[in-house]
Structure formats: structure tokens, C-alpha cells
Amino acid sequence: MGSNLPYAADAESPLKAEELQVLRSQYQNEGSYVGTQTKFNYAWGLIKSDARHEQQEGVRLLTQIFGNSPERRRECLYYLGLGNYKLGNYAEARRYNDLLIDHEPANLQAGSLRTLIDDKVAKEGMMGVAIISGVAVAAGVIGTMLLKGGRKR
């Protein structure tokens, strides 16, 4: 993935535990007066994590910034897209990423993320079709067995 999409490297490169701890400490030390930049930095670190609960918290914090700080919305779009992508919320990921692409059509990170989202949706769509097909075949086999069993009586 990284060699094909170098601009979406954030999708697969978590921070080291110590690096995330520095951001967490800064966030916690500011308490109820946490600044927007500190919150954004911590959310960014959480989004990059491999831990789902941390990714969810990162999306939650970025959503707060997006809603409360109109001047920071553009900065949040890519990471809201990335966070939702990592959580498997592909419709939300696409929505945020498309908003960024609408404002910045040449944004290479957003273009790479769009490709990741589209590839994942296509792959999971194919897996869904395979699962449904497998269930249909199994139902057909069971139905045939039941019909044959009913005729023998």
C-alpha cells in the first residue's frame, strides 16, 4: 500500500507509544482549558494509532474541533476522512475526503485516501457478494436435501 500511495502514509504509520504519550500529557495538562492546537495534535496521534478505541477518540476530538472552530475545518477534513477510513466508516470517510477534494482538487493526500477508500469499498463489496453467494449455495444444498428426504417417506 505504501509504495503505491505514498501520500496516504498516515493510514499505516502509528506513532510510537512514547510519542503518543507526549501528546496525551500535553492534552491532559491543559485540562478544561485545552487549546485547539493541542487537541488537534492529540487527535492526530490517536487517529494514527492501531488501537480502535484510540482512533474513535481521535475522530471524536476532531469532530469537536470541526464543529466548534470553523477556521480549522479544512485541517480536520483529511484526518476525519482517514480516521473514519481506519474505523471502517467508509461513507463518512468519503464524505469528509470529498469535501477536502472539493476545496483542494490537487491535494495528493486526499487523492491517495480516495483511492484507499474506493479500493476497500470494492474489496469488501466483492467479499459481501462472495458471502451472499456462499449462503445461497448452502441454502440450495440444504433445500435439495430436505426435498429429497421428504420424498423418500
Side-chain angles (χ1 to χ4, degrees), residues 15 20 22-48 54-69 71-72 75-76 79-80:
L15 296 179
L20 184 57
V22 168
L23 297 174
R24 180 178 289 117
S25 294
Q26 289 172 339
Y27 177 78
Q28 291 171 340
N29 289 340
E30 291 185 24
S32 58
Y33 300 103
V34 66
T36 303
Q37 187 62 49
T38 300
K39 185 185 277 191
F40 180 87
N41 292 347
Y42 182 46
W44 167 80
L46 291 169
I47 292 289
K48 291 173 64 68
E54 289 180 342
Q55 295 165 357
Q56 290 170 326
E57 178 67 5
V59 167
R60 187 186 70 75
L61 293 173
L62 285 172
T63 301
Q64 288 176 356
I65 296 168
F66 187 82
N68 297 333
S69 303
E71 71 282 0
R72 302 297 295 266
E75 292 175 85
C76 292
Y79 290 103
L80 281 166

Side-chain angles (χ1 to χ4, degrees), residues 17-150:
E18 322 62 79
E19 294 170 327
L20 184 57
Q21 185 55 44
V22 168
L23 297 174
R24 180 178 289 117
S25 294
Q26 289 172 339
Y27 177 78
Q28 291 171 340
N29 289 340
E30 291 185 24
S32 58
Y33 300 103
V34 66
T36 303
Q37 187 62 49
T38 300
K39 185 185 277 191
F40 180 87
N41 292 347
Y42 182 46
W44 167 80
L46 291 169
I47 292 289
K48 291 173 64 68
S49 173
D50 288 331
R52 185 172 179 82
H53 70 280
E54 289 180 342
Q55 295 165 357
Q56 290 170 326
E57 178 67 5
V59 167
R60 187 186 70 75
L61 293 173
L62 285 172
T63 301
Q64 288 176 356
I65 296 168
F66 187 82
N68 297 333
S69 303
E71 71 282 0
R72 302 297 295 266
R73 286 185 179 152
R74 197 221 54 82
E75 292 175 85
C76 292
L77 288 174
Y78 173 73
Y79 290 103
L80 281 166
L82 179 63
N84 278 291
Y85 165 78
K86 290 180 79 171
L87 289 168
N89 302 330
Y90 304 123
E92 280 296 292
R94 181 176 280 141
R95 184 173 72 88
Y96 285 116
N97 198 56
D98 285 350
L99 283 171
L100 179 55
I101 289 173
D102 288 347
H103 292 335
E104 297 179 18
N107 186 309
L108 296 175
Q109 278 186 309
S112 293
L113 183 56
R114 174 186 270 171
T115 301
L116 286 175
I117 294 166
D118 291 347
D119 289 351
K120 191 65 111 169
V121 167
K123 180 181 175 186
E124 289 195 3
M126 292 304 289
M127 286 180 9
V129 168
I131 290 169
I132 290 171
S133 298
V135 169
V137 168
V141 168
I142 291 170
T144 302
M145 289 171 46
L146 289 174
L147 286 175
K148 285 183 179 179

